């Protein structure tokens, strides 16, 4: 049985800052060698060349090693950074660590937060955008579920991934071996990698049947309600973190999920928080959270028809500011208005992750 989980959200004070992680360790909240995953937002451009993700990654791993975790172990810890804190979104990290809970603790009889991690088989550049990648992601999700102690897919509420995208170097590599790639536009490959990964998660959890190559980025009716997929230049495998609930592990925390139907759907955020176990009034307010919301994790996507609730917008036509940044800023503001805290995990590029124009929402709450 997996161990119970302690989860804390900490601010990042500068690009290379991991001081709040060090403070948690020094204060005995968690142990460096028991950190099993970190998910966070960095303040770069969120694009292919967003190196703030690499800087933050190095800073957090260096703290873990300095505080006593074995270097080889730290190299294997999944640390998923989503670049871009547009608008009011504040740089931060959510840290997951295992903790000990007494065998007779009453929380063991209830469903509590559990986390599992896996790496897929290496993903070749010519597989990005095709069924071959979907299959590798799906296989990795199943391994992560098993490690989390989850047997029922309905107990999975959040799957955070990091996958490779296409760069000039990997495109040349594919061509040198006589292979073709789905796109030669590296920025477009970010949306592509995320979308294919979303389909792989949906297949693994039984949300959809195996799609075809022709469905990729085309059939937006195929999606996962729990996928949160990011991509970057720093790896060649799918890094998969499955977060759900299981009986027997114990602990203070629980996770739930829902979906935002569009960019303004505050009710979708509230429903995710209710799903996690907080008892809220019919029309909740931020004060009703009473400090018990640890964090929310969202994906967002501009609607393909260029509208929100029947009103036209110009995001897809804007040549000055890419729609990635505009929709992220919008949804970040909507989310912060619900939570009362700008340190929310809002990530863009949500093809096949939630309905068109909307996206999945996961919420972790402290049940005490």
């Amino acid at each position: 049985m997996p161990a119970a989980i302690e989860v804390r959200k900490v601010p990042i004070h500068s690009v290379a800052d991991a001081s709040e992680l060090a403070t948690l360790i020094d204060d005995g909240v968690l142990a460096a060698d028991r950190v099993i995953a970190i998910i966070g937002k960095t303040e770069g451009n969120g694009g292919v060349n967003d190196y703030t993700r690499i800087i933050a990654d190095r800073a957090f791993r260096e703290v873990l090693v300095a505080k006593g975790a074995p270097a080889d172990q730290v190299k294997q810890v999944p640390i998923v950074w989503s670049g871009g804190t547009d608008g009011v979104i504040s740089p931060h990290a959510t840290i997951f660590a295992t903790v000990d809970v007494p065998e007779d603790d009453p929380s063991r009889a209830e469903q509590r937060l559990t986390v599992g991690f896996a790496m897929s088989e290496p993903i070749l550049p010519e597989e990005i955008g095709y069924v071959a990648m979907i299959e590798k992601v799906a296989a990795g999700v199943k391994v992560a579920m098993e490690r989390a102690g989850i047997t029922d897919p309905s107990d999975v509420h959040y799957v955070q991934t990091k996958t490779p995208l296409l760069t000039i170097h990997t495109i040349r590599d594919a061509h040198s071996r006589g292979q073709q790639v789905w796109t030669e536009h590296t920025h477009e490959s970010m949306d592509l990698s995320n979308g294919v990964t979303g389909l792989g998660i949906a297949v693994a959890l039984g949300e959809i049947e195996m799609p075809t190559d022709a469905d990729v980025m085309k059939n937006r009716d195929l999606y996962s309600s729990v996928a949160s997929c990011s991509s970057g230049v720093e790896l060649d495998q799918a890094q998969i973190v499955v977060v759900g609930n299981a009986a027997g592990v114990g602990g203070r925390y629980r996770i739930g999920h829902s979906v935002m139907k569009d960019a303004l759907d505050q009710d979708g955020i509230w429903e995710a928080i209710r799903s996690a176990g907080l008892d809220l009034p019919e029309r909740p307010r931020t004060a009703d959270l009473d400090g018990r919301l640890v964090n929310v994790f969202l994906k967002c996507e501009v609607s393909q028809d260029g509208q929100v609730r029947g009103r036209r917008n110009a995001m897809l036509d804007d040549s000055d500011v890419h729609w990635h940044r505009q929709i992220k800023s919008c949804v970040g503001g909507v989310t912060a208005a619900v939570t009362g805290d700008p340190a929310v995990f809002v990530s863009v590029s949500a093809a096949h992750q939630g309905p068109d124009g909307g996206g999945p929402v996961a919420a972790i709450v402290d049940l005490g």
Side-chain angles (χ1 to χ4, degrees):
M1 177 62 67
I5 301 295
E6 179 65 41
V7 55
R8 294 296 178 97
K9 180 172 68 177
V10 298
I12 297 176
H13 300 295
S14 65
V15 175
D17 172 61
S19 61
E20 298 288 350
L21 169 61
T23 298
L24 285 178
I25 297 169
D26 290 343
D27 290 348
V29 176
L30 48 85
D33 61 355
R34 300 193 69 172
V35 172
I36 58 170
I38 299 172
I39 299 170
K41 292 292 300 182
T42 66
E43 61 203 80
N45 61 23
V48 174
N49 66 333
D50 183 352
Y51 299 108
T52 65
R53 297 184 298 239
I54 297 174
I55 294 169
D57 189 273
R58 178 178 298 174
F60 274 71
R61 292 187 196 276
E62 287 177 350
V63 164
L64 291 176
V65 172
K67 295 298 181 180
D72 288 345
Q73 176 183 321
V74 171
K75 289 179 182 178
Q76 302 303 314
V77 174
I79 302 183
V80 180
W81 297 109
S82 170
T85 50
D86 302 85
V88 299
I89 300 172
S90 185
H92 68 280
T94 304
I95 301 158
F96 300 82
T98 59
V99 292
D100 295 324
V101 171
E103 289 294 330
D104 59 351
D105 192 294
S107 67
R108 286 186 177 273
E110 303 175 2
Q111 286 209 324
R112 289 293 190 268
L113 187 72
T114 182
V115 178
F117 166 68
M119 295 290 283
S120 75
E121 294 182 22
I123 296 169
L124 300 174
E126 61 267 27
E127 293 177 329
I128 297 174
Y130 298 100
V131 168
M133 180 174 175
I134 295 174
E135 292 173 337
K136 289 182 176 181
V137 169
V141 171
K142 292 179 180 178
V143 172
M145 281 180 61
E146 182 178 354
R147 291 174 177 172
I150 297 174
T151 56
D152 186 345
S154 67
D155 290 329
V156 175
H157 295 277
Y158 177 46
V159 182
Q160 178 65 58
T161 62
K162 191 78 173 188
T163 50
L165 46 69
L166 293 169
T167 65
I168 295 300
H169 172 74
T170 58
I171 291 170
R172 286 175 179 167
D173 171 63
H175 288 169
S176 73
R177 293 180 285 103
Q179 302 294 323
Q180 298 299 310
V181 293
W182 199 93
T183 179
E184 299 202 5
H185 297 282
T186 57
H187 197 272
E188 181 184 27
S189 77
M190 177 183 296
D191 296 336
L192 174 66
S193 181
N194 292 355
V196 177
T197 305
L199 291 173
I201 294 167
V203 168
L205 300 180
E207 295 176 282
I208 63 171
E209 298 296 325
M210 178 65 73
T212 66
D213 288 340
D215 289 319
V216 173
M217 305 302 287
K218 301 295 184 184
N219 186 354
R220 296 301 181 99
D221 290 333
L222 301 179
Y223 63 81
S224 171
S225 295
V226 299
S228 177
C229 307
S230 294
S231 52
V233 299
E234 60 266 40
L235 72 175
D236 63 359
Q237 298 167 276
Q239 181 175 268
I240 302 162
V241 181
V242 166
V243 189
N245 298 312
V249 297
R252 298 169 58 95
Y253 304 96
R254 199 170 187 273
I255 188 169
H257 81 276
S258 186
V259 296
M260 290 180 75
K261 297 180 177 65
D262 59 36
L264 303 178
D265 184 17
Q266 291 192 11
D267 287 342
I269 303 171
W270 286 117
E271 185 54 39
I273 297 169
R274 281 194 182 93
S275 170
L278 282 193
D279 186 18
L280 297 172
E282 183 177 353
R283 297 305 304 170
R285 302 170 59 191
T286 303
D288 296 320
L289 297 173
D290 196 26
R292 297 174 70 184
L293 177 66
V294 178
N295 205 3
V296 288
F297 306 84
L298 299 88
K299 290 294 291 190
C300 59
E301 177 89 350
V302 68
S303 178
Q304 296 295 294
D305 65 5
Q307 299 185 69
V308 175
R309 302 194 180 183
R311 297 289 193 181
R312 181 177 71 89
N313 62 71
M315 284 187 282
L316 291 173
D317 292 325
D318 195 328
S319 298
D320 295 315
V321 181
H322 195 276
W323 66 262
H324 275 195
R325 310 202 73 162
Q326 297 191 47
I327 193 67
K328 189 190 308 177
S329 179
C330 168
V331 175
V334 170
T335 306
V338 169
T339 65
D341 183 357
V344 289
F345 186 92
V346 178
S347 176
V348 75
S349 186
H352 301 301
Q353 302 151 72
D356 181 40
V361 188
I364 296 175
V365 302
D366 184 351
L367 296 179

